[in-house]
């Protein structure tokens, strides 16, 4: 039954057999309790946000008048101060490795605890009946079974539709780090198991057994998967990662099944096949039902055709007709399948939906925010129609799939698209008094729909927000044209009770300004307003809109907003790792710490949608 030698007694085998049954179950109990606790607080937070929306006349320990703020120390705010202390320590204190690899303290704690838990169960009670401590017979066999017992949850965390997300309320993309961490931990345990098998006296005698060969194949396949899953590989050659990961995991699970089947341990392996198959079945059903019911497969209908265009050298815009029955929330993403562009016809690539699922922008009459006190008929529909009548995606061009898509966009070609979605979370900002949105480049795919959503919710009386700040860093002044009309309408549509501040920072060179002037095609020189950039006079004439040259000082900007705010404040960021890191640093102690909250400062919640994965 086990890899045993003549020195192993039947008593040792009996004890180990009991441990192999009970120890993995105990580990699962701890994991289950942890997930339940996380889910309790996560869903509790969601419910609290739903019911925390207040009228402008309400006041509690989190609220105070926005204007004429008078901070007063209050012991009633101790629970709120503790919550903010937890937020800062858990999610804004980070372990930074290099320029792009960042782990928050919550991830570090979960990682260390998980590894310690498995190693503890692997090496406790490893003294044999004859008194030999750390007997290799015990820990070598047990550590392999412990690793095998984690395969179902590792598989589940790698799928788009999984029970863990349902229980915890955390989306699959945020759980992806846990998926990789647990997989790498299991690989480490299996390597230790392999070492134990090599040094075990009977290993040479069993090296030709089929189950040993299956185990060797499984470990090699797992090693390949771990290598291609490293960030440099995933970021630079995603297609290689996609194919090798798919094939490698399949080989690993099949080989692991036959390896563990010889010692009656395969019951930890076969559920992984079921979990993976269920996720694929759900995705295929959604894909078929969605694309057939909403887009249609009729020949010549053109409803599955997506138009492509180059917005800049590294940004492609993909647009397709917005189905009337397809709904999404700001910040959600969809998987696009383009058989004519991808290497294999079933490749699915995720992109944030940059358009807004609402008729807000089609409002005929808008409130003036330019200070004239008059209403103006809509003058800014134009290309911004796409922001509510179509599904729009802004694609960053790298290599592989996106490079091929760029070649199609260079000719303004059309492509057949299948859509699977929407996926991912959507932050509920209705209960926040102040919302700050920070984006870099194509990060506006996330922040622009959120901005429009905040304005719409305030107009409908469903949000208590009094101030919304939109900060956007761009490399070329011409980027403003992507969303200029939408920004104009957003400011015009904002009700008097909501203050809208738009800060755009052009980090490009002065020559970039000239290129925008040429692109804009403005024939009347009097319509050009020169600040640090050249842009539309209408946009810059609106109250609260400011465009500057140079990098944004996020630390100063966020500290300023915190000093002006009270009540509940949200900060949402979508951009490079550098931008996300700068925002985290700015919102540490003492800016949003306990002392600030106890003195009447805002309770700050941070939402990070960073490019790439850790």
């Amino acid at each position: 039954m086990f890899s045993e030698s003549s020195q192993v007694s039947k008593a040792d085998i009996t004890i180990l057999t009991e441990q192999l049954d009970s120890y993995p179950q105990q580990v699962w109990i701890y994991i289950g309790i942890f997930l339940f606790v996380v889910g309790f607080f996560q869903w509790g937070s969601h419910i609290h946000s739903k019911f925390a929306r207040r009228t402008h006349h309400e006041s509690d320990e989190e609220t105070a008048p926005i204007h004429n703020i008078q901070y007063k120390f209050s012991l009633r705010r101790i629970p709120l101060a503790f919550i903010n202390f937890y937020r800062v320590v858990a999610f804004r204190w980070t372990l930074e490795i290099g320029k792009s690899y960042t782990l928050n303290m919550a991830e570090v704690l979960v990682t260390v605890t998980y590894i310690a838990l498995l190693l503890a169960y692997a090496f406790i009670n490893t003294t044999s009946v004859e008194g030999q401590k750390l007997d290799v017979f015990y820990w070598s066999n047990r550590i392999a079974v412990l690793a095998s017992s984690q395969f179902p949850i590792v598989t589940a965390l790698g799928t788009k539709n999984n029970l863990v997300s349902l229980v915890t309320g955390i989306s699959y993309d945020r759980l992806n780090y846990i998926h990789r961490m647990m997989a790498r931990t299991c690989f480490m345990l299996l390597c230790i198991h392999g070492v134990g098998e090599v040094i075990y006296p009977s290993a040479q005698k069993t090296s030709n057994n089929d189950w040993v060969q299956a185990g060797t194949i499984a470990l090699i396949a797992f090693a390949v998967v771990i290598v291609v899953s490293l960030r440099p590989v995933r970021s630079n050659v995603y297609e290689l990662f996609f194919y090798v990961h798919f094939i490698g995991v399949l080989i690993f699970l099949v080989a692991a099944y036959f390896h563990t089947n010889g010692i009656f341990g395969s019951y930890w392996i076969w559920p992984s096949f079921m979990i993976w198959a269920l996720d694929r079945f759900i995705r295929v059903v959604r894909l078929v039902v969605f694309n057939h019911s909403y887009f249609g497969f009729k020949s010549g209908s053109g409803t599955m055709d997506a138009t492509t265009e180059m917005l800049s050298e590294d940004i492609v815009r993909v647009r397709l007709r917005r189905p009337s029955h397809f709904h999404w929330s700001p910040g959600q993403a969809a998987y696009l399948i383009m058989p004519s562009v991808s290497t294999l016809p079933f490749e699915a690539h995720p992109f944030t939906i940059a358009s807004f699922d609402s008729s807000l922008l089609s409002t005929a009459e808008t409130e003036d925010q330019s200070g004239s006190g008059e209403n103006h008929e809509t003058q800014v529909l134009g290309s911004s129609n796409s922001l509510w009548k179509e599904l729009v995606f802004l694609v960053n061009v790298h290599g592989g799939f996106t490079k091929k898509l760029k070649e199609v966009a260079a000719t303004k070609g059309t492509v057949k698209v299948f859509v699977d979605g929407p996926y991912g979370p959507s932050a509920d900002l209705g209960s926040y008094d102040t919302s700050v949105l920070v984006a870099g480049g194509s990060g506006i795919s996330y922040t622009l729909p959120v901005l429009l959503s905040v304005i719409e919710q305030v107009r409908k009386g469903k949000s208590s927000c009094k101030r919304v700040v939109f900060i956007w860093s761009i490399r070329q002044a011409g980027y403003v044209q992507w969303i200029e009309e939408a920004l104009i309408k957003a400011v015009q549509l904002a009700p008097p009770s909501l203050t809208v501040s738009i800060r755009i920072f052009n980090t490009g060179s002065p020559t970039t300004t000239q290129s925008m002037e040429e692109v804009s095609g403005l024939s009347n020189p009097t319509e050009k307003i020169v600040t640090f950039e050249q842009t539309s006079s209408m946009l810059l004439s609106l109250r609260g809109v400011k465009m500057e040259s140079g990098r944004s000082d996020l630390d100063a900007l966020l500290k300023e907003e915190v000093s002006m705010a009270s009540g509940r404040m949200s900060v949402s960021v979508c951009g490079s790792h550098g931008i996300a890191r700068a925002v985290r640093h700015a919102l540490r102690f003492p800016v949003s710490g306990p002392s600030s909250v106890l003195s009447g400062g805002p309770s700050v919640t941070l939402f990070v949608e960073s490019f790439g994965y850790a």
Side-chain angles (χ1 to χ4, degrees), residues 57-273:
H57 301 290
E58 287 183 289
S59 178
D60 58 18
E61 65 271 14
E62 285 199 43
T63 53
I66 287 291
H67 304 290
N68 300 321
I69 298 174
Q70 295 180 357
Y71 290 152
K72 295 182 180 180
F73 185 86
S74 174
L75 293 178
R76 293 180 54 200
R77 299 173 66 85
I78 289 179
L80 189 58
F82 177 79
I83 293 174
N84 278 263
F85 175 83
Y86 163 74
R87 288 171 178 167
V88 172
V89 173
F91 303 110
R92 297 171 207 170
W93 283 6
T94 56
L95 174 64
E96 298 171 355
I97 305 173
K99 295 182 178 181
S100 61
Y101 201 102
T102 301
L103 295 177
N104 60 49
M105 288 299 104
E107 292 171 334
V108 172
L109 178 62
V110 170
T111 300
V112 172
T113 303
Y114 180 73
I115 294 174
L117 177 67
L118 290 180
L119 290 179
Y121 270 96
F123 290 101
I124 61 172
N125 299 327
T126 54
T127 302
S128 66
V129 174
E130 298 179 354
Q132 181 179 349
K133 296 182 178 180
L134 290 176
D135 192 321
V136 65
F137 172 73
Y138 279 87
W139 60 257
S140 178
N141 286 288
R142 191 195 300 161
I143 205 169
V145 175
L146 284 169
S148 300
S149 69
Q150 301 302 294
F151 294 162
I153 192 171
V154 171
T155 304
L157 290 170
T159 60
K160 306 299 181 292
N161 308 279
N162 64 77
L163 185 62
V164 179
S165 291
L166 181 63
V167 171
T168 62
I170 302 175
S171 64
Y172 79 92
D173 55 323
R174 295 184 183 277
L175 291 172
N176 197 265
Y177 166 76
I178 305 299
H179 163 71
R180 296 192 306 274
M181 179 274 294
M182 294 181 72
R184 291 164 182 169
T185 302
C186 289
F187 176 70
M188 176 191 70
L189 297 182
L190 292 178
C191 287
I192 296 175
H193 166 69
V195 171
E197 290 298 301
V198 170
I199 66 176
Y200 201 61
S202 62
Q204 297 298 326
K205 300 179 182 179
T206 60
S207 59
N208 293 324
N209 289 355
D210 292 340
W211 70 274
V212 174
Q213 295 177 2
T216 303
I217 293 173
L219 192 59
I220 293 174
F222 204 172
V224 173
V225 170
I226 293 298
V227 171
V228 299
S229 297
L230 297 175
R231 170 178 287 179
V233 180
R234 295 198 321 272
S235 301
N236 297 320
V237 280
Y238 177 81
E239 281 77 10
L240 174 65
F241 156 74
F242 180 84
Y243 300 132
V244 174
H245 183 276
F246 179 85
I247 297 173
V249 169
L250 182 62
I251 294 174
F252 166 72
L253 289 176
V254 171
Y257 176 84
F258 284 105
H259 177 71
T260 56
N261 192 46
I263 58 172
F264 306 101
S266 58
Y267 59 84
W268 289 116
I269 306 298
W270 65 261
S272 298
F273 291 102

Side-chain angles (χ1 to χ4, degrees), residues 438-444 446-447 573-580 608-612:
V438 183
S442 62
I444 55 161
Y446 177 83
T447 57
V573 55
C574 182
S576 64
H577 292 284
I579 291 179
V608 178
E609 294 292 330
S610 184
F611 294 161

Side-chain angles (χ1 to χ4, degrees), residues 531-571:
T531 53
F532 292 92
E533 275 75 31
Q534 301 257 356
T535 187
S536 165
S537 61
M538 189 173 184
L539 176 61
L540 292 179
S541 67
L542 298 177
R543 186 169 62 240
V545 179
K546 189 175 182 181
M547 192 168 182
E548 305 175 46
S549 180
R551 294 184 177 275
S552 59
D553 187 348
L554 291 175
D555 185 77
L557 289 171
L558 292 174
K559 287 180 179 178
E560 179 184 1
E561 291 300 327
V562 171
S563 67
M564 295 170 55
S566 66
R568 304 186 76 209
M569 176 178 175
S570 69
V571 178

Side-chain angles (χ1 to χ4, degrees), residues 279-340:
D279 173 69
R280 290 292 165 174
F281 175 76
I282 294 175
R283 294 186 64 184
V284 169
V285 169
R286 290 181 57 165
L287 188 66
V288 172
V289 171
F290 172 80
N291 291 276
H292 181 270
S293 300
Y294 301 152
F295 286 109
F297 293 129
K298 295 181 180 179
S299 175
S301 65
T303 54
M304 290 176 57
D305 291 345
T307 61
T308 61
E309 58 182 318
M310 295 293 301
L311 296 182
S312 69
E313 280 299 313
D314 55 356
I315 300 292
V316 172
R317 178 162 61 188
V318 178
R319 299 162 55 181
L320 57 156
R321 186 177 66 84
R322 177 189 182 278
S324 59
H325 295 88
F326 181 72
H327 298 285
W328 67 96
S329 299
Q332 289 192 298
Y335 280 78
L336 301 184
I337 301 175
M338 302 181 186
S340 62

